[in-house]
Amino acid sequence: MKTYLTLALSLLMLGMVGCTTVSETGRRQLLLTSPAEESQQGLAAFADIKQSEKVSTDAKANTQVQRVGTRIRDSVIKSHAMPDAQWEFVVFDSDQVNAFALPGGKVGVYTGLLKLVSSDDELAIVMGHEIAHVTSRHGGERASQATLANTAGQLGQAALGATQYSDTTKNLILSAYGVGAQGTLLAYSRTHESEADTIGMKFAAEAGYDPRAAVTFWKKMAAQSGGGQTSGISAMIAKWTSTHPPDAERIANLEKLAPKYQAVYEQAKLQYK
Ligand SMILES: [Zn+2]
């Protein structure tokens, strides 16, 4: 019954999995999942989502998401992240305010979110942020933390079967990327949000998008998500911002970051003229 803890500790000792470093920020992270396992789950989940959600045929929406997505993808490739990604950008026709990126290079943007972005720059900030969660392997990290934390709790119960264990890991990974398998969303992690803001802004700036759009976008989300409405657009925004809180600390951080990426943006913009 101590199988999983023993397995995790053995793997750590063997150095097969364990601490790695987020290359863009230098933060150390604990990972018990492999990139291949994460990608496999991302690809499978995306195939499911394409079956269950309505894919948008709106030409304008699709053109915008492809245009911005491919430029962000190119910055990610330049930074040598996600080398095995099978990149794909899909617009889902739904009033939900949401966007997500999955390991394996699959990115979804909902039309409900597109209505709220007022420029390619703002869309690039959102897509850059979601993709940065993936390049930083935040889903794998959260699944790993939960596995270690839960192992002790599970020791008193019958050990989970292999399939159940795999399902739990999958759900933890997916919910960390904003895909609420079983309708659950993990409490957000401020460290991960802040890291995704920083790395996402870098991806956007390197793709020739204005980093200052992060400030305008999140201020707009803060203004529109308040009031505790339970229906309508404010409620949709509030649902999304519950995992991406546009609080004062986040906005102050973005205001501090934006000038750092201004020169990168000005330079990159020239090649997309
Ligand atoms: Zn996030």
Side-chain angles (χ1 to χ4, degrees), residues 176-259:
Y177 292 120
V179 178
Q182 302 182 335
T184 53
L185 284 171
L186 292 183
Y188 82 101
S189 146
R190 191 176 285 280
T191 305
H192 286 176
E193 280 306 294
S194 156
E195 193 163 77
D197 277 346
T198 306
I199 298 170
M201 186 182 280
K202 174 179 170 286
F203 287 148
E206 286 173 353
Y209 294 112
D210 193 338
R212 290 168 296 191
V215 178
T216 61
F217 180 76
W218 287 110
K219 277 187 173 169
K220 189 164 58 181
M221 291 302 101
Q224 292 188 28
S225 63
Q229 285 93 337
T230 53
S231 64
I233 188 68
S234 292
M236 295 279 193
I237 297 172
K239 192 169 169 231
W240 189 53
T241 54
S242 67
T243 55
H244 295 82
D247 53 26
E249 186 179 331
R250 169 178 231 140
I251 288 166
N253 183 45
L254 293 169
E255 280 174 332
K256 203 170 69 191
L257 277 175

Side-chain angles (χ1 to χ4, degrees), residues 19-136:
C19 278
T20 55
T21 301
V22 180
S23 61
E24 310 285 349
T25 60
R27 185 177 63 84
R28 301 278 288 163
Q29 61 183 172
L30 176 93
L31 285 162
L32 303 175
T33 50
S34 69
E37 182 188 3
E38 292 163 24
S39 287
Q40 189 200 342
Q41 286 163 352
L43 296 176
F46 198 68
D48 288 348
I49 297 166
K50 282 206 290 189
Q51 291 295 316
S52 59
E53 301 275 324
K54 187 176 169 213
V55 174
S56 169
T57 53
D58 183 280
K60 189 165 168 269
N62 276 279
T63 305
Q64 185 184 25
V65 167
Q66 295 299 327
R67 180 173 64 231
V68 174
T70 50
R71 276 167 60 169
I72 300 278
R73 173 202 66 195
D74 291 347
S75 331
V76 175
I77 291 171
K78 269 184 225 154
S79 75
H80 306 291
M82 300 169 69
D84 301 322
Q86 300 165 36
W87 289 99
E88 187 180 356
F89 304 93
V90 175
V91 181
F92 293 106
D93 190 0
S94 161
D95 288 338
Q96 265 191 72
V97 174
N98 199 14
F100 63 85
L102 292 171
K106 304 298 182 183
V107 182
V109 180
Y110 288 76
T111 49
L113 177 95
L114 283 179
K115 286 180 196 150
L116 297 170
V117 301
S118 51
S119 61
D120 279 10
D121 298 302
E122 289 191 354
L123 179 59
I125 289 297
V126 174
M127 293 178 79
H129 174 98
E130 298 303 336
I131 291 169
H133 276 307
V134 179
T135 63
S136 310

Side-chain angles (χ1 to χ4, degrees), residues 3-12 17-19 29-32 140-155 165 169 172:
T3 311
Y4 299 119
L5 184 59
T6 309
L7 178 68
L9 292 174
S10 316
L11 290 171
L12 280 170
V17 289
C19 278
Q29 61 183 172
L30 176 93
L31 285 162
L32 303 175
E141 188 179 359
R142 293 178 78 170
S144 304
Q145 288 165 346
T147 299
L148 286 182
N150 288 339
T151 301
Q154 285 162 10
L155 293 181
Y165 171 72
T169 309
L172 285 164

